Structure formats: C-alpha cells, structure tokens
Amino acid sequence: MDRKSARNDKQITNRADGGHMICDVCNINMEMKEATFAYLGRTFKHQILRCPSCGQAYVPEALAKGRMREVEHLLEDK
C-alpha cells in the first residue's frame, strides 16, 4: 500500500446522505484514487476510496478477500 497505511473500518463512516464514505479524521468525502499495493516484492494497483486530505485508505472486504487474497496465493505458490 502507499506509504500512508489503511486504518480500520471504525474510522470511516458511511454518511446517510447518499452513502458517501467520509473520513472520520478529516470529516470530508473520500474519493476514488489509485493505490499501489505491495507484497513479496510485487505490486499491483487498484482503485479504492482514499481521503484526499490525510490519505487514509478504505479497503473493502470484497477486495481484501478477493483480489488481494488471490495475488497473495499466487505469489506464495511460486
């Protein structure tokens, strides 16, 4: 992941006015940004929600258990 680490889901709130995600630290809307993830010397990029101010990242469960897990298994099997 970029140099700024992802924090846990408790610091990201789903706003009631249309479901936008907001950063609890900065209290602003998170935006879709490309993030680079690194594992065992390999990298891959993916669009995720990030705070434009502090860089906090939200990694949805589907991404963590899907694409990230798939990459992890592929690299560990080599």
Side-chain angles (χ1 to χ4, degrees), residues 5-59:
S5 63
R7 297 184 182 147
N8 68 33
D9 291 350
K10 293 176 184 170
Q11 293 182 316
I12 299 171
T13 307
N14 193 2
R15 186 183 284 178
D17 66 358
H20 296 285
M21 300 295 276
I22 60 169
C23 174
D24 279 349
V25 175
C26 302
N27 201 33
I28 59 175
N29 284 337
M30 298 183 88
E31 301 173 354
M32 291 301 288
K33 303 277 185 184
E34 187 172 86
T36 302
F37 297 90
Y39 187 73
L40 294 177
R42 302 290 181 117
T43 61
F44 74 95
K45 295 181 180 192
H46 197 81
Q47 292 282 324
I48 60 170
L49 288 170
R50 302 212 51 180
C51 176
S53 179
C54 71
Q56 176 174 262
Y58 174 71
V59 178

